[in-house]
Amino acid sequence: MPGAGLKCYHCQDDCFTDRLHIGDKYFCCEGCQMVYEILNTNDLCQFYTLDDKPGVSQKNRRDARAYAWLDDPEVRRQLIQFSDGHTARVTFLLPAMHCASCIWLLEHLYKLDAGVVHSKANFLKKEVTIHFEADKTSLRQLAAMLSGIGYPPEINLGDVSGQGQHKAVDRSLYYKIGVAGFAFGNIMLLSFPEYLGLEQEREAWFFGIFGYLNLLLALPVLLYSSRDYFISAVTGLRNGHLNIDVPLALGMLMLFGRSAWEIIGSTGAGYMDSFAGLIFFLLLGRWFQQKTYHHLSFERDYKSYFPVAASRKNSDGSESATPINNLNPGDIIRVRNGELIPADGVLLKGGAQVDYSFVTGEADPVGVRSGEQIFAGGKQMGETIEISLTRRVNTSYLTQLWNDEAFKTNAKGHVSLLADRAGRYFTALILGVATLAFLYWAPQNMATAVNAFTAVLIIACPCAVALSIPFTMGNVLRILGRNRFYIKNTNVLEAFSTVSAVVFDKTGTITNVEQNAARFVPADGLSHSEQTLVRSLANQSAHPLSRQIAASLEQAAIIPVDDFVETPGQGISGMALDKVVRIGSATFIFAENRTEPGVFVEIDGNVKGHFDLKSRYREGLSGVLRYFQNHHASTWLLSGDNDREAGVLKPLFGEAAAMRFNQSPHDKLAFVRDLQQSGKKLLMLGDGLNDAGALQQSDVGIVVAENTNNFTPACDAILHADEFERLPRFLDLAHWGITTVNRAYLLAACYNVVGLSFAVTGTLSPVVAAILMPLSSVTIVLFGFGMSYWKAWRMGLVRTT
């Protein structure tokens, strides 16, 4: 046979062909050959460039022609997620991605194309996100390169607008189930003589023919249907990790090898029916798990309410706060300083200085001129701008950005650590138990020994432990999302249970800006034209006090403002009608450390007076504070305002030392660090404006959103302001999720103990074990989903609409 006796130079596996080689070095697959080339070639661009140069393969030229439609400007506009004229970002779906070697190769694309800056593979979603230099490479070249190395991208323009859906299950899994099911049914049919107890001695030739037919039917099951298990097992062993597929692969090999030995040696009928049935039911279990997980994941990414609003411009020139999921192409939105751009669009009005660090990691603002495209995920840093949307808001894309590693809560809770340890040590333990069972039964009855060895490897599975977190906690995330408490990931839910100190920002967090009253002192201090200047400047800022001031002057017109600057925690300034206008604290206006209450107004160097702002605290504030205090968590208040309302707040926060006023953003960050250094696990609630640094530093950061677009990637959760008083119930549901996971662990342990006690006796058929293993996973899924849903229903968190 071609390739017989040859070993792959890269992975040392057997080569099934001698076609793939470089000199005297042979490779088992194109992936291994590609990895070798990457590791041993300084400039691989010559192999994959699409220019007409000597040495370019015809295959890559054909791929280039096949993807020529990607050069169409309209197609590029739909596919490109971000572009600043130099660097661009695109995400491709790659169904062929299947193992760790694929991830390694896809994250080293810069060695194949000099235009690639970096690439990141998402194995669960089978996606690769590529940042590339648009003047050095193109979408067509990238797609052709991916196709050339064995990962042809599946491009569906419906996915770009959020209208398409990724497939729940890869189509190849259906083929594998079909092959295994066909073989299983036919092997059972051919095994009827054995089932009927016919005498094999009298009809030996008859049983021999049927045995070889069973062997032929089982070969595609071994080589095709079960290949993913063997690939995963081998990949894990190469990386020094015993994953759950190792015992499964061993069990399959043992069952097939023993059966082939008996058939070829004419010593028995083998267990090919059990072998094919084992693979068939394992694949059915995998199909169910993927289908269910996709449903929960899809609902979270695409359907959950993302509690961020945008200011949509109405036909009469007014504006209204609109949930971003209700925005449509053609809508005009206004984006103020520090606000997130929720969807792609074209800049209509204003000077855009966009901070794309949320997308690219680069913090330098990018200037955008009127008529140019502007991309989702950026933050406006400057005056208010107007954008005409060209795409619907894709909350999945925003979620993807939010979960970028730069903003991720990496610390794992005890339940995740327990799952990791179970996966690490469980496999080694099961291999030991299976070996002991085999050694015990082999001298007495080889058939029983094979049954015991195989059944132990198959029935004992830590999958139930591994599935408990994504399904139980995923359902909790889904329920909380429907109640407008959107949480980044399951690690955040676990972190809630470790909190020992809670820090509250004041303005916009525990105060209700929309109900606050603003009164200018002296009452006649501002003329109508001056009110226009003040309202126009205040309208540029998303800060709660600026919005409150702008709302109090609703009779005044809004005019353009130039040279807008916002100093965090201090004030704002700009020029309108050739007059310099400044609004801010006493320290900001008078340039000295003063603590007079109110927000002062200065026009062309003349202080006109100040706004007296009366705070109205959110409903349920006392209940929220009492909840944390009853759970042995100390509560603190940090505010950039003065201490004139300290008397009102003292009964809620206790001693005066728990309240800090006149705090700058730097002061808030330093205070959070000091608490953490004292051993506290910190939860912080803020508005995401002047406390973004403190939110990111805290162990858990929650942004309270009140019909505004003050989302910050530094936070771990977003709470709609209207749900503030229900925060204790949300946290109780998160705690219940942790409790449910621990109970699922106990249920999984009981299942494994009972299952193993039967398996080691050798009386449990491998087919029955293959049915019970996915059933255990299904049980854990239903248990976690049902218990979390029941608790949410008891707490009034299940919405019927």
Side-chain angles (χ1 to χ4, degrees):
M1 156 176 124
L6 295 177
K7 292 288 187 181
C8 176
Y9 184 81
H10 175 65
C11 69
Q12 300 302 311
D13 279 353
D14 291 332
C15 293
F16 295 100
T17 176
D18 58 3
R19 180 176 59 84
L20 300 172
H21 67 93
I22 299 177
D24 60 349
K25 299 176 178 63
Y26 291 85
F27 302 92
C28 64
C29 63
E30 292 181 355
C32 286
Q33 182 179 354
M34 185 64 59
V35 171
Y36 170 80
E37 290 175 340
I38 293 175
L39 293 173
N40 293 275
T41 305
N42 292 328
D43 182 15
L44 285 183
C45 298
Q46 57 179 316
F47 291 103
Y48 303 100
T49 181
L50 302 176
D51 299 326
D52 292 328
K53 294 180 181 179
V56 181
S57 71
Q58 291 299 317
K59 181 180 187 302
N60 285 305
R61 289 195 179 123
R62 288 195 301 271
D63 290 337
R65 289 192 292 270
Y67 290 106
W69 59 279
L70 293 177
D71 286 336
D72 183 89
E74 179 61 22
V75 174
R76 279 179 46 83
R77 186 188 67 79
Q78 292 190 61
L79 287 177
I80 294 292
Q81 297 170 313
F82 164 80
S83 176
D84 60 5
H86 176 63
T87 302
R89 168 189 172 126
V90 66
T91 297
F92 288 121
L93 175 65
L94 308 179
M97 188 191 314
H98 67 275
C99 67
S101 296
C102 300
I103 297 174
W104 189 92
L105 184 58
L106 292 169
E107 293 187 348
H108 287 76
L109 295 178
Y110 63 89
K111 292 191 175 184
L112 303 180
D113 190 325
V116 175
V117 179
H118 65 86
S119 52
K120 183 69 175 177
N122 185 324
F123 183 73
L124 291 179
K125 292 188 174 183
K126 296 188 183 299
E127 292 177 344
V128 62
T129 299
I130 304 173
H131 293 257
F132 64 96
E133 297 180 21
D135 56 344
K136 291 184 178 180
T137 191
S138 66
L139 286 181
R140 175 174 64 95
Q141 290 174 302
L142 292 174
M145 175 188 65
L146 290 169
S147 180
I149 61 176
Y151 304 96
E154 183 175 297
I155 302 173
N156 177 8
L157 296 182
D159 293 338
V160 178
S161 62
Q163 297 171 357
Q165 297 185 11
H166 291 300
K167 291 176 291 189
V169 182
D170 184 20
R171 183 176 297 176
S172 66
L173 180 58
Y174 291 111
Y175 298 152
K176 291 169 184 172
I177 292 174
V179 170
F182 173 82
F184 180 40
N186 282 278
I187 290 174
M188 289 184 67
L189 180 64
L190 295 174
S191 300
F192 260 99
E194 181 189 354
Y195 298 157
L196 296 175
L198 299 181
E199 297 182 18
Q200 296 188 28
E201 292 78 6
R202 295 179 57 184
E203 305 289 345
W205 66 272
F206 181 77
F207 279 93
I209 292 175
F210 276 34
Y212 280 105
L213 287 175
N214 285 342
L215 181 59
L216 288 174
L217 284 168
L219 279 175
V221 178
L222 175 71
L223 299 177
Y224 177 66
S225 295
S226 63
R227 67 190 300 267
D228 289 343
Y229 293 99
F230 290 101
I231 291 173
S232 175
V234 171
T235 302
L237 291 174
R238 283 179 186 164
N239 292 302
H241 177 62
L242 283 173
N243 59 34
I244 186 56
D245 288 329
V246 172
L248 289 177
L250 279 177
M252 294 173 191
L253 282 177
M254 168 66 78
L255 202 54
F256 181 86
R258 176 67 182 176
S259 302
W261 177 268
E262 289 189 3
I263 292 171
I264 295 173
S266 299
T267 60
Y271 315 94
M272 288 305 180
D273 53 346
S274 296
F275 170 76
L278 164 66
I279 307 300
F280 177 66
F281 287 112
L282 285 176
L283 291 174
L284 280 180
R286 173 174 286 189
W287 169 83
F288 173 82
Q289 292 169 10
Q290 289 188 14
K291 195 81 171 177
T292 307
Y293 186 74
H294 171 84
H295 172 73
L296 292 181
S297 176
F298 182 86
E299 183 161 340
R300 169 166 160 72
D301 284 348
Y302 289 85
K303 297 180 182 177
S304 292
Y305 176 75
F306 203 74
V308 173
S311 298
R312 181 166 59 186
K313 184 178 179 181
N314 301 318
S315 57
D316 60 357
S318 63
E319 63 181 61
S320 57
T322 305
I324 59 174
N325 284 351
N326 294 337
L327 296 175
N328 296 298
D331 287 347
I332 298 175
I333 62 171
R334 287 173 176 155
V335 181
R336 294 175 172 80
N337 179 60
E339 290 188 334
L340 183 79
I341 298 167
D344 295 355
V346 174
L347 181 64
L348 298 181
K349 185 186 297 185
Q353 290 292 321
V354 185
D355 176 4
Y356 281 119
S357 60
F358 192 18
V359 183
T360 65
E362 299 293 332
D364 294 335
V366 175
V368 180
R369 291 176 295 182
S370 179
E372 292 184 342
Q373 191 171 12
I374 199 164
F375 293 93
K379 272 196 172 187
Q380 164 64 355
M381 307 301 293
E383 64 184 90
T384 298
I385 59 176
E386 291 187 2
I387 301 172
S388 176
L389 299 184
T390 57
R391 285 186 187 171
R392 283 187 58 83
V393 174
N394 188 341
T395 54
S396 175
Y397 176 61
L398 296 179
T399 302
Q400 177 187 354
L401 293 177
W402 193 18
N403 276 279
D404 189 270
E405 292 180 359
F407 308 113
K408 188 175 293 183
T409 299
N410 291 313
K412 291 187 176 181
H414 70 280
V415 292
S416 290
L417 293 175
L418 182 56
D420 290 346
R421 293 183 186 126
R424 190 179 309 137
Y425 301 117
F426 189 91
T427 303
L429 175 64
I430 293 309
L431 287 174
V433 172
T435 302
L436 289 175
F438 179 82
L439 293 175
Y440 175 80
W441 287 108
Q444 306 174 48
N445 188 312
M446 184 55 68
T448 303
V450 171
N451 261 356
F453 182 81
T454 310
V456 168
L457 292 177
I458 295 169
I459 198 169
C461 179
C463 293
V465 174
L467 286 172
S468 182
I469 290 178
F471 281 99
T472 303
M473 305 299 269
N475 192 44
V476 171
L477 289 179
R478 183 180 63 87
I479 293 170
L480 293 178
R482 286 184 169 182
N483 284 274
R484 302 193 292 184
F485 185 36
Y486 198 86
I487 296 177
K488 182 186 291 187
N489 52 45
T490 58
N491 289 341
V492 177
L493 289 178
E494 294 184 60
F496 282 141
S497 62
T498 65
V499 169
S500 57
V502 184
V503 174
F504 292 84
D505 177 48
K506 175 176 172 284
T507 304
T509 302
I510 64 173
T511 61
N512 191 327
V513 175
E514 293 185 345
Q515 297 179 3
N516 288 353
R519 180 175 59 89
F520 192 77
V521 179
D524 57 353
L526 292 175
S527 66
H528 182 73
S529 61
E530 289 173 337
Q531 290 182 19
T532 297
L533 296 175
V534 172
R535 188 189 182 198
S536 300
L537 179 62
N539 190 60
Q540 305 294 313
S541 172
H543 192 278
L545 296 183
S546 298
R547 288 163 43 218
Q548 189 176 345
I549 291 171
S552 70
L553 301 173
E554 60 182 356
Q555 301 302 322
I558 296 178
I559 59 177
V561 174
D562 298 321
D563 301 327
F564 174 81
V565 177
E566 181 163 357
T567 305
Q570 296 293 319
I572 55 179
S573 63
M575 180 170 289
L577 298 179
D578 295 325
K579 296 181 181 293
V580 177
V581 186
R582 302 173 71 222
I583 304 174
S585 65
T587 301
F588 178 74
I589 296 298
F590 297 107
E592 56 186 67
N593 191 13
R594 298 172 61 166
T595 59
E596 287 96 328
V599 177
F600 289 80
V601 174
E602 179 189 272
I603 300 177
D604 273 348
N606 299 316
V607 177
K608 297 295 183 177
H610 69 276
F611 283 94
D612 184 20
L613 305 174
K614 299 295 184 182
S615 299
R616 295 188 181 181
Y617 295 97
R618 298 197 185 279
E619 293 184 11
L621 174 60
S622 60
V624 171
L625 289 167
R626 189 163 53 250
Y627 171 83
F628 287 115
Q629 292 160 358
N630 291 340
H631 284 75
H632 310 290
S634 56
T635 53
W636 305 80
L637 175 70
L638 298 180
S639 174
D641 299 337
N642 55 67
D643 61 355
R644 62 177 179 162
E645 297 186 8
V648 177
L649 293 169
K650 185 176 180 180
L652 300 175
F653 285 90
E655 58 187 48
M659 298 182 293
R660 305 288 181 96
F661 297 95
N662 299 308
Q663 298 287 294
S664 68
H666 177 76
D667 294 333
K668 295 177 182 179
L669 175 59
F671 181 79
V672 167
R673 284 176 174 164
D674 289 342
L675 278 182
Q676 289 175 323
Q677 289 174 1
S678 67
K680 299 286 189 181
K681 293 292 184 180
L682 199 67
L683 165 66
M684 180 168 183
L685 289 93
D687 61 6
L689 294 173
N690 296 329
D691 47 22
L695 282 167
Q696 184 171 16
Q697 179 65 34
S698 61
D699 298 283
V700 184
I702 300 176
V703 162
V704 179
E706 185 177 35
N707 289 329
T708 58
N709 194 349
N710 54 345
F711 170 73
T712 172
C715 69
D716 299 298
I718 309 171
L719 173 67
H720 194 283
D722 292 346
E723 311 296 339
F724 181 81
E725 64 179 327
R726 298 206 298 166
L727 180 60
R729 276 191 279 177
F730 297 156
L731 297 182
D732 280 341
L733 183 61
H735 294 319
W736 176 261
I738 301 294
T739 302
T740 301
V741 169
N742 288 325
R743 290 174 179 172
Y745 287 173
L746 180 61
L747 186 63
C750 293
Y751 158 80
N752 280 290
V753 169
V754 174
L756 284 174
S757 65
F758 282 99
V760 295
T761 64
T763 58
L764 187 63
S765 166
V767 173
V768 176
I771 295 173
L772 291 177
M773 191 190 80
L775 279 180
S776 70
S777 300
V778 172
T779 302
I780 293 299
V781 169
L782 294 178
F783 175 79
F785 186 89
M787 292 295 287
S788 55
Y789 188 88
W790 172 81
K791 184 65 174 180
W793 176 76
R794 289 285 305 270
M795 298 172 69
L797 299 180
V798 176
R799 298 194 172 192
T800 57
T801 58

